[in-house]
Amino acid sequence: MNKYFITLLFLSLCLPTRAQSKPFETADFRVTLNEKGYVVSFFDKQKKREYHPGDQATPLLRLSVSDKIEEPISMKADGNMLTLYYAQRSLSAVVTVVKKSSYISFELTAISDPQKIDWIVWGPFATSIREIIGETVGVVRNHEFALGIQALNVKTLGGYPTELNDNDPSFNIFDTESLIDIKVSEKNEKLYRGQTAKATDKGSVLQAYTRNRAADRIIPNWGHTQYTSPAYADGGIKGSRIALFGCAPTKVLETIRTIEQAENLPHPKLNGEWIKTARDATASYLIIGFSEQTLDDALELTAKAGLKYLYHGHPFKSWGSYSLLEDAFPQNWISMKNCVDRANAKGIHLGVHTLSNFINTNDPYVTPIPDKRLAVVGTSTLTQGIDDATQIITLESPVFFNQMQNNSLRSVRIGNEIIRYKEVSAAAPWQLLECIRGAYGTKPAHHAKGVSVDKLMDHGYKVFLTNTELSEEIAHQLARFCNETGIRQISFDGLEGTTASAMGQYAINLFTKAWYEKLTPALKGSVINDASGSSHYNWHINTRYNWGEPWYAGFRESQTQYRLMNQDYFRRNYLPSMLGWFSMNAQTSVEDAEWLLARAAGFDAGFAFNVNLKQVSANEASDAIFRAIRTWETARMLGVFSPEQKKRMENIQQEFHLEQLADDKWELSPLHIQRFTVSPTPSSENPGTRGVAFHNPYAEQSLSLTLQLKLAKTESAGPVRSIKIRINESEKVSIPFGLEPDQILKITHQNMAQLYDKNWRLLQSISLPSPIPKVQNGVNTVFIEAVVASHSHPPIYVECKTVGTPELLKKPASPSKK
């Protein structure tokens, strides 16, 4: 045997070769592992393109042992059984691979010394795709190819673990207001609802993990640096399971649907169709605080708006046990069932708002005997016995009690008594000071030295929270409520409260899973649900999300940037689009409603319209507003708008009017609107002559004008008189009446002047003696003069409007689908 042959033989035994790699493939996709157990290829079989960056380490399975990351050093393949070896700790893991037509599953089926492992991570799998990152669904894509990961059971969590905590570090679920400051242009740089997929400098990663929860841990949670995370029996890291897939972007939903069905993941439907593609998944709805007595009025408004869903924003007397308001629903759940039946008879479905696992302090879970399963930050013991009147309580340790962030109720539980305290002593002996005994209807009692003192976890809403066992019980209670009443829509607001169990997104998953599994088969195929927080697992359960609140500014301004940012989130995560809540009051205008409705059409997004029956009655524009909702939402749900029209309507600066001509025809008119203010001139002075430039992009036409003397709460003003309008070099047109505070003057292109009060009640309607001059195409100058008695006077708000050429829309041959 010569030296050359010996050298070749040596190299063939020592160096990796293509024969030592292990490929697994579907019809569209191939993933290849090398001899060390690293992914070295994500290959698009159709386009013949590689999507693994090549220069980034991508182990199939990482382990954490005593806070040190271990990566495989070798892999043995025996058919579909892969054995990974980890040198430093002499550990090995067996991964079973199953190839399906559209995905490949990987399951950790055996591991040596599992008690040593803190957690395991699948990947992170590096890819070269960076264009669109679906952080929650776990899919990255460009215009040609998509790569995805799916966790195949509830204990396999999307993302990457922090050292101790399972709360996703990319999204602070306790400070959602901070999200509003994130610019839409940064949407792919600051993903804020998960990291199952995550952008990197060179592309992206896909990742999932499972934690060993066999022992109690002390972790940071809810702003506390010291928080007890109890052991949880879920079988440990063994059984952690994922799927990987690659396909064209248009086939992602089809692939995930296949995975859901084949892997027994939640697969809810809506009217016979999977919720992620069902048209009604984006159905808009009214929010009205109805009762058995007022239900008919609420149903009448819902029907007038052409909507199918009516939702109660606060029906419950108490969260936790979830009993209903007695005045509105005197027979509790039976009353709600009666309401559901009455609504169903009219083709309308009812829904309710919940606060998930929040528990009111007057709920039976708290009083008169507090449930042992209320969430606990941590526990100490009494170092001195106390009687039923002691107001200073001495503890062995202050650790869990002197953390004041997210500690609104400052409550402890000793036996069957809840005790509130003001503060903790600054030095030993450690004492709870200024205690209130027998809080929340519990009974003061004697407690012996050495008994446990539990620091209860609470929320800023002045409620208590739950451990994992009680969360499951409340989830089952909500499922029973749905089953017994027939409610067809439910929202899990406050879902972050489940993380008081110190299990992060796992707790969120377990809560909704427990609810979903207890639903009747009929409700699993018909109930819409959303939540305040998202997770990779809950992507399968939640129909949609509807973030955006109306309480912080005007109709068009409240959380607008946040709402827009969410539309990008929905699209990159293959979710039905929703715009959030909007609140109608007695002053809401038809123009405001159409501004919202155009956005809904543009993003193909539903919304919630929050109304009060008294304010609807006070608003004289109500009928027109609800007709507009019917017109726009009917057209949107039928899919009559073109992609080009939708793109224009995404722009919040552009406005439109939609008119229905027949059952199958509509006319969409683009509007150009310019708003400014005019300062009226004191009667002792000559009116000013300074004009405002108005650019009319459309054909020559009469100008529509709206003038309002709108006052802030602290302002006062007298009437405006002698209003005159001039366009360019035309003669002035005098308005034959003045403008009182909060009144609205509208001049339409029909040259009709109409005076309204702030609630849109028509006060006067007069044909002008001469028409408002027309504005030409291009730049015009608008002059508005007004006289007041006082030198100090708020400005007049002015809106100028022109209308573009109407665009004819027709009902498509078949209804639009998501």
Side-chain angles (χ1 to χ4, degrees):
M1 185 178 295
N2 61 40
K3 293 181 179 180
Y4 179 72
F5 179 79
I6 293 173
T7 300
L8 287 178
L9 178 61
F10 176 80
L11 290 174
S12 69
L13 293 173
C14 296
L15 297 179
T17 67
R18 291 183 61 85
Q20 293 175 300
S21 64
K22 185 69 175 178
F24 301 96
E25 55 189 291
T26 68
D28 298 321
F29 161 69
R30 181 170 65 240
V31 56
T32 303
L33 281 72
N34 69 8
E35 76 287 350
K36 292 177 62 178
Y38 282 66
V39 173
V40 293
S41 176
F42 286 132
F43 192 70
D44 174 2
K45 293 170 63 177
Q46 303 302 319
K47 300 286 186 179
K48 310 299 182 186
R49 289 179 183 164
E50 178 60 61
Y51 286 101
H52 189 278
D55 60 346
Q56 296 182 51
T58 310
L60 176 64
L61 193 71
R62 281 185 169 99
L63 313 178
S64 173
V65 182
S66 301
D67 299 329
K68 182 179 179 181
I69 305 298
E70 299 286 350
E71 298 181 352
I73 59 166
S74 64
M75 180 184 78
K76 175 185 176 183
D78 183 8
N80 286 343
M81 304 284 287
L82 308 178
T83 303
L84 304 171
Y85 297 96
Y86 301 81
Q88 294 184 20
R89 305 281 174 159
S90 300
L91 295 171
S92 62
V94 177
V95 175
T96 300
V97 185
V98 178
K99 296 179 289 183
K100 299 293 182 75
S101 60
S102 58
Y103 68 96
I104 304 161
S105 71
F106 299 83
E107 180 178 2
L108 179 60
T109 50
I111 190 162
S112 61
D113 296 325
Q115 69 279 1
K116 293 182 179 180
I117 313 298
D118 304 317
W119 41 258
I120 61 101
V121 173
W122 297 99
F125 301 110
T127 92
S128 58
I129 297 175
R130 202 175 191 273
E131 286 79 352
I132 300 176
I133 311 296
E135 69 267 44
T136 303
V137 69
V139 176
V140 298
R141 67 187 190 273
N142 56 28
H143 67 284
E144 289 188 338
F145 198 62
L147 287 167
I149 187 172
Q150 292 290 289
L152 298 184
N153 51 41
V154 70
K155 72 178 179 181
T156 307
L157 305 179
Y160 193 93
T162 59
E163 182 178 351
L164 297 171
N165 208 329
D166 297 306
N167 290 323
D168 196 323
S170 69
F171 172 39
N172 182 356
I173 59 177
F174 312 115
D175 185 21
T176 55
E177 293 303 306
S178 65
L179 299 177
I180 302 170
D181 297 328
I182 301 176
K183 297 178 181 178
V184 175
S185 61
E186 297 172 341
K187 59 184 178 293
N188 274 337
E189 303 302 322
K190 293 185 177 180
L191 306 185
Y192 59 97
R193 295 199 183 274
Q195 52 170 353
T196 308
K198 182 179 178 180
T200 63
D201 290 341
K202 296 183 179 181
S204 58
V205 291
L206 303 170
Q207 52 195 6
Y209 74 99
T210 298
R211 186 182 294 281
N212 183 353
R213 304 177 191 275
D216 292 355
R217 297 177 298 135
I218 303 298
I219 68 170
N221 192 43
W222 275 84
H224 300 320
T225 57
Q226 301 288 312
Y227 200 110
T228 302
S229 177
Y232 183 72
D234 62 358
I237 56 177
K238 183 180 176 182
S240 182
R241 195 158 181 254
I242 63 162
L244 294 176
F245 66 88
C247 61
T250 55
K251 294 174 64 177
V252 167
L253 280 179
E254 176 187 336
T255 302
I256 295 178
R257 173 167 45 195
T258 299
I259 293 172
E260 282 187 0
Q261 293 173 317
E263 300 295 338
N264 200 31
L265 289 170
H267 186 69
K269 294 184 177 181
L270 186 58
N271 303 323
E273 187 173 354
W274 184 38
I275 56 171
K276 291 302 182 290
T277 57
R279 189 67 185 131
D280 279 353
T282 67
S284 297
Y285 55 99
L286 289 191
I287 302 176
I288 302 176
F290 61 84
S291 66
E292 275 197 286
Q293 292 74 30
T294 63
L295 177 64
D296 287 339
D297 293 335
L299 292 173
E300 182 181 351
L301 279 182
T302 309
K304 186 180 291 186
L307 302 180
K308 300 177 182 178
Y309 291 87
L310 170 62
Y311 179 89
H312 200 305
H314 185 58
F316 296 105
K317 178 179 70 175
S318 177
W319 305 316
S321 61
Y322 280 103
S323 57
L324 292 162
L325 296 167
E326 292 170 352
D327 290 344
F329 307 99
Q331 294 180 279
N332 201 22
W333 291 9
I334 293 174
S335 292
M336 183 61 77
K337 175 67 164 61
N338 293 337
C339 289
V340 168
D341 291 343
R342 287 162 58 188
N344 286 344
K346 296 186 177 183
I348 295 171
H349 305 304
L350 298 189
V352 296
H353 190 79
T354 78
L355 264 294
S356 299
N357 76 321
F358 287 20
I359 300 181
N360 293 104
T361 55
N362 63 347
D363 191 83
Y365 280 117
V366 174
T367 184
I369 298 176
D371 196 286
K372 300 300 182 185
R373 299 165 297 174
L374 295 175
V376 171
V377 176
T379 299
S380 186
T381 56
L382 289 178
T383 58
Q384 296 178 13
I386 60 175
D387 62 23
D388 59 0
T390 305
Q391 294 183 351
I392 296 177
I393 297 175
T394 308
L395 305 173
E396 181 180 10
S397 169
V399 168
F400 300 113
F401 302 82
N402 59 6
Q403 303 174 110
M404 295 305 178
Q405 185 178 351
N406 294 310
N407 189 6
S408 301
L409 299 181
R410 300 188 185 183
S411 297
V412 301
R413 178 184 57 209
I414 307 178
N416 290 331
E417 181 186 1
I418 294 177
I419 303 169
R420 299 191 67 191
Y421 63 97
K422 182 178 181 180
E423 58 187 347
V424 180
S425 61
W430 303 110
Q431 295 175 324
L432 305 181
L433 305 177
E434 298 185 42
C435 293
I436 299 172
R437 302 298 301 276
Y440 308 119
T442 62
K443 186 177 180 179
H446 291 247
H447 301 289
K449 175 182 177 180
V451 303
S452 295
V453 182
D454 297 326
K455 172 64 187 75
L456 295 176
M457 182 60 203
D458 62 66
H459 183 277
Y461 280 17
K462 303 296 192 293
V463 294
F464 291 114
L465 301 170
T466 60
N467 71 5
T468 306
E469 183 184 352
L470 186 52
S471 286
E472 181 178 28
E473 181 171 302
I474 290 177
H476 290 167
Q477 174 85 335
L478 285 171
R480 189 167 67 85
F481 172 79
C482 294
N483 293 336
E484 293 185 12
T485 64
I487 285 291
R488 293 278 292 275
Q489 184 181 347
I490 190 169
S491 178
F492 297 109
D493 198 3
L495 197 56
E496 68 273 13
T498 61
T499 66
S501 64
M503 289 173 53
Q505 63 164 310
Y506 193 13
I508 292 174
N509 298 348
L510 289 170
F511 186 88
T512 49
K513 178 177 183 286
W515 167 80
Y516 177 76
E517 289 181 343
K518 288 295 182 180
L519 291 180
T520 64
L523 275 186
K524 285 181 180 179
S526 62
V527 66
I528 288 174
N529 76 93
D530 63 38
S532 59
S534 59
S535 73
H536 176 64
Y537 183 86
N538 277 0
W539 184 96
H540 301 286
I541 292 178
N542 297 141
T543 311
R544 63 194 186 193
Y545 303 102
N546 195 30
W547 297 302
E549 298 181 359
W551 325 119
Y552 309 109
F555 188 91
R556 305 185 187 205
E557 293 82 24
S558 184
Q559 294 194 334
T560 302
Q561 194 72 5
Y562 177 46
R563 298 175 195 270
L564 296 177
M565 184 173 65
N566 283 331
Q567 305 317 303
D568 285 309
Y569 166 79
F570 297 143
R571 287 174 175 176
R572 66 178 180 257
N573 283 283
Y574 293 93
L575 286 163
S577 292
M578 298 294 288
L579 284 170
W581 289 26
F582 292 82
S583 191
M584 175 186 172
N585 59 34
Q587 288 81 52
T588 302
S589 67
V590 177
E591 288 83 0
D592 283 340
E594 286 212 287
W595 176 88
L596 160 62
L597 292 162
R599 269 13 90 194
F603 290 105
D604 198 4
F607 57 87
F609 206 58
N610 182 55
V611 303
N612 175 287
L613 290 173
K614 290 182 179 179
Q615 292 195 336
V616 169
S617 178
N619 189 328
E620 293 292 327
S622 290
D623 283 346
I625 288 172
F626 286 104
R627 282 198 305 271
I629 294 174
R630 172 186 283 274
T631 298
W632 279 90
E633 282 295 281
T634 299
R636 179 179 75 86
M637 295 301 281
L638 288 172
V640 306
F641 300 105
S642 70
E644 186 275 332
Q645 288 167 337
K646 289 181 180 181
K647 192 66 179 177
R648 282 188 282 144
M649 287 188 285
E650 288 182 10
N651 185 344
I652 63 173
Q653 304 304 323
Q654 295 189 26
E655 300 190 38
F656 301 83
H657 172 68
L658 186 67
E659 196 75 35
Q660 186 155 8
L661 306 178
D663 287 346
D664 60 350
K665 291 181 182 179
W666 295 261
E667 200 172 66
L668 179 69
S669 298
L671 309 176
H672 176 70
I673 296 176
Q674 184 175 324
R675 298 177 178 88
F676 54 90
T677 59
V678 171
S679 297
T681 305
S683 56
S684 59
E685 300 177 10
N686 292 324
T689 58
R690 187 168 63 89
V692 175
F694 174 77
H695 180 267
N696 173 33
Y698 308 128
E700 183 183 59
Q701 61 185 276
S702 296
L703 182 67
S704 294
L705 286 150
T706 301
L707 286 72
Q708 183 175 11
L709 188 53
K710 184 165 44 176
L711 304 182
K713 289 183 179 179
T714 58
E715 290 181 320
S716 61
V720 174
R721 305 298 184 202
S722 302
I723 300 174
K724 296 179 180 180
I725 298 169
R726 178 162 65 91
I727 309 295
N728 298 325
E729 302 303 321
S730 68
E731 294 293 324
K732 296 178 181 178
V733 176
S734 296
I735 306 303
F737 40 69
L739 198 59
E740 300 284 342
D742 285 327
Q743 286 184 341
I744 305 163
L745 172 64
K746 295 194 78 170
I747 303 169
T748 67
H749 59 276
Q750 287 87 14
N751 302 317
M752 179 70 68
Q754 296 173 314
L755 185 66
Y756 298 87
D757 70 8
K758 65 180 181 180
N759 294 341
W760 297 102
R761 182 169 64 93
L762 184 63
L763 303 175
Q764 295 186 61
S765 182
I766 299 174
S767 294
L768 296 176
S770 57
I772 299 294
K774 293 182 177 182
V775 289
Q776 62 190 13
N777 174 259
V779 178
N780 301 265
T781 305
V782 178
F783 300 89
I784 298 178
E785 298 176 4
V787 176
V788 293
S790 168
H791 278 268
S792 177
H793 200 282
I796 301 171
Y797 289 80
V798 181
E799 177 183 289
C800 297
K801 178 171 67 178
T802 53
V803 183
T805 303
E807 303 165 22
L808 184 64
L809 310 177
K810 295 183 179 181
K811 180 180 176 180
S814 58
S816 173
K817 291 189 176 183
K818 290 299 291 179

